Amino acid sequence: MIPNFEAKLNEYARLLVEVGLNVQPGQTPRINASLDAAALARLCVSACYDRGAREVVVDWRDDFVSRQRYLRADGAVFSEFPSYQKAKFDWFLDKGSPNLSLTGSDPELLKGVDPARIQAADLAAGEPTKPFYDAMTAGKFQWCVGAFPTLAWAEKAFPGKKEEEAVDALWDAIFSVCRITGDGKGVERWREHVAAAARRAKTLNDCRFASLHYKNSLGTDLTVRLPDNHVWAGGSEKSAGGVEFVANMPTEEIFTAPRWDGVDGRVYAALPLALNGNLVKDFWLELKGGRIVDVHAGEGEEVLRRSIELDEGSHYLGEAALVPYDSPIRASGVLFYNTLFDENASCHFAFGSAYPSCVRGGEEMSEEGQKAAGLNQSINHVDFMVGTRDLSIVGTTHDGREIPVFVDGNFAF
Ligand code: ZN
Ligand code: ZN
């Protein structure tokens, strides 16, 4: 049992609702939760009403029911998407409802299910739900993704522990990386954290760097040119209605996109990479004119190569993110097998697609326009960690001034 668990869970729910979603009086938030997360979801409901919500709607799902359907329902249902489901998505979109998703991944949930059924279901849901998810990524309404432990996930992240012990260990890890202590001040701590991220993003944006130079004792020696109109973002964002929200809880990164054709040198991974159910270890990438021209991995090299060869764009980088070495996620020493957490453990790059918002006006550009502006295009996006205790990053401005960005693994400002 975790000491003070009830107080911590309540503090966590308030964090998700008050900082993550930032529910405003009169709004109708939707909470998407598994029955396994019922205790947390109920506390979130209370926190939403405390904020003056007009009505709180919970969409419950149940892993047992989902699995049974995938295994036993008539095969024809997977290519149908019921009109009442589509009406529901449209209704929430129309209301501009804040959307909270409580995720807990069970890697075995669909084990043994005919992949054709999964593919058909994804395909059938794609078109009808596209307006909703497009509006969400574009920040038309507030949204937030938070986590809760499932047994299967906990036992994967803590292979030495069993059942309740593993779940407790995962709760402990989630609380600590979300800065939840049980003292009731998690919301205040998170507001400070988000403000600090905004200050750093502003400093980086004001510098208008032409390039960054990464160096450490692993052997990383990499020059990364940035698009002329690049934008650093991190911490919180603003919805179309002007409400500040935090889409991922937790978040530690401040990120932008490298110029897809502007990366040269070698970069060493600092942490193993969980890729399609496999682990890639001790690897480096060599880049020339932005393109990955050579790869080596101590373990899992074939899996890594296959991912890089998925399409042309996978050969280029699409994200450069800065995370202090002293971040609580790295300090926890846990490999979560969940991107929401793992990508916040360390400075990272991603090979594959860039976020359009990383260039001023990027969201309004055509794909060709985005590419010309420096943003990489791909169906892939794979984050890999490069931050070490001794990582240094020096920025060079367009008039040739050199400014330290990272010293000894942490921000220089
Ligand atoms: Zn990232
Ligand atoms: Zn990423």
Side-chain angles (χ1 to χ4, degrees):
M1 222 21 233
I2 297 172
N4 219 3
F5 182 76
E6 290 309 315
K8 286 178 181 171
L9 195 65
N10 194 40
E11 192 175 329
Y12 181 48
R14 280 187 47 217
L15 177 66
L16 293 170
V17 167
E18 295 182 24
V19 180
L21 277 194
N22 194 7
V23 172
Q24 301 294 301
Q27 288 194 309
T28 305
R30 168 185 184 236
I31 300 175
N32 204 336
S34 154
L35 289 181
D36 296 327
L40 175 62
R42 287 177 188 139
L43 291 171
C44 289
V45 169
S46 299
C48 285
Y49 281 121
D50 289 345
R51 295 279 290 183
R54 181 172 188 263
E55 185 187 2
V56 187
V57 182
V58 182
D59 256 336
W60 295 107
R61 48 169 212 285
D62 178 47
D63 283 355
F64 177 85
V65 174
S66 308
R67 182 170 168 76
Q68 289 296 305
R69 177 174 177 268
Y70 270 117
L71 287 173
R72 305 177 67 179
D74 185 307
V77 306
F78 300 101
S79 47
E80 296 161 6
F81 192 80
S83 55
Y84 67 85
Q85 288 280 13
K86 157 118 181 98
K88 187 174 73 179
F89 278 98
D90 291 345
W91 190 86
F92 283 114
L93 176 55
D94 187 53
K95 280 244 176 321
S97 286
N99 196 85
L100 175 63
S101 291
L102 301 178
T103 68
S105 45
D106 177 355
E108 309 269 285
L109 179 65
L110 299 180
K111 198 176 173 183
V113 170
D114 177 2
R117 290 186 162 211
I118 301 169
Q119 200 188 19
D122 288 349
L123 216 61
E127 204 50 45
T129 59
K130 193 170 183 295
F132 179 86
Y133 287 110
D134 280 355
M136 186 168 120
T137 10
K140 294 270 157 53
F141 50 84
Q142 305 119 265
W143 59 279
C144 176
V145 179
F148 70 92
T150 61
L151 181 59
W153 177 22
E155 288 184 344
K156 188 150 175 73
F158 294 92
K161 298 184 193 291
K162 279 268 160 284
E163 302 188 356
E164 224 165 291
E165 222 195 356
V167 173
D168 280 358
L170 187 50
W171 264 126
D172 241 355
I174 291 173
F175 286 150
S176 94
V177 302
C178 288
R179 299 167 168 81
I180 300 294
T181 63
D183 67 357
K185 292 188 179 140
V187 165
E188 285 87 330
R189 269 190 293 278
W190 208 264
R191 289 210 171 109
E192 276 166 34
H193 173 57
V194 168
R199 273 198 305 277
R200 280 176 173 151
K202 183 178 185 314
T203 304
L204 287 161
N205 284 325
D206 289 347
C207 285
R208 304 247 47 93
F209 287 123
S211 67
L212 301 175
H213 185 208
Y214 290 63
K215 227 171 147 51
N216 69 13
S217 60
L218 273 182
T220 293
D221 188 351
L222 191 78
T223 305
V224 179
R225 279 170 52 217
L226 300 176
D228 283 343
N229 291 314
H230 69 268
V231 176
W232 290 94
S236 65
E237 38 196 304
K238 265 210 175 99
S239 73
V243 181
E244 200 178 341
F245 67 99
V246 178
N248 290 331
M249 195 65 79
T251 180
E252 301 289 335
E253 63 172 353
I254 296 169
F255 64 96
T256 191
R259 255 211 80 88
W260 63 271
D261 57 356
V263 186
D264 287 275
R266 186 176 284 195
V267 59
Y268 281 77
L271 290 168
L273 165 66
L275 192 59
N276 306 325
N278 294 277
L279 220 49
V280 186
K281 283 184 177 164
D282 304 321
F283 62 98
W284 53 255
L285 307 176
E286 178 95 26
L287 295 102
K288 219 173 175 173
R291 199 170 210 286
I292 300 170
V293 292
D294 200 5
V295 178
H296 176 81
E299 195 180 300
E301 185 172 307
E302 200 40 49
V303 183
L304 179 61
R305 278 184 191 276
R306 250 186 288 140
S307 186
I308 291 167
E309 277 155 23
L310 192 66
D311 63 3
E312 178 55 21
S314 299
H315 293 80
Y316 298 85
L317 302 188
E319 179 189 350
L322 305 178
V323 179
Y325 186 76
D326 293 339
S327 98
I329 298 182
R330 206 273 322 151
S332 76
V334 178
L335 182 60
F336 285 87
Y337 295 93
N338 182 322
T339 317
L340 181 60
F341 294 88
D342 291 330
E343 77 152 348
N344 282 300
S346 157
C347 278
H348 55 272
F349 292 107
F351 57 83
S353 64
Y355 298 106
S357 58
C358 289
V359 157
R360 241 180 293 144
E363 279 144 323
E364 280 77 53
M365 292 175 186
S366 64
E367 280 189 15
E368 295 73 35
Q370 290 177 356
K371 183 132 196 216
L375 298 172
N376 192 36
Q377 317 275 326
S378 168
I379 54 166
N380 217 359
H381 180 101
V382 177
D383 296 290
F384 60 97
M385 315 303 152
V386 302
T388 52
R389 187 195 297 278
D390 66 346
L391 178 67
S392 88
I393 305 174
V394 177
T396 303
T397 62
H398 285 276
D399 54 11
R401 279 177 305 135
E402 294 194 341
I403 300 170
V405 176
F406 258 54
V407 176
D408 294 332
N410 290 298
F411 274 105
F413 44 79

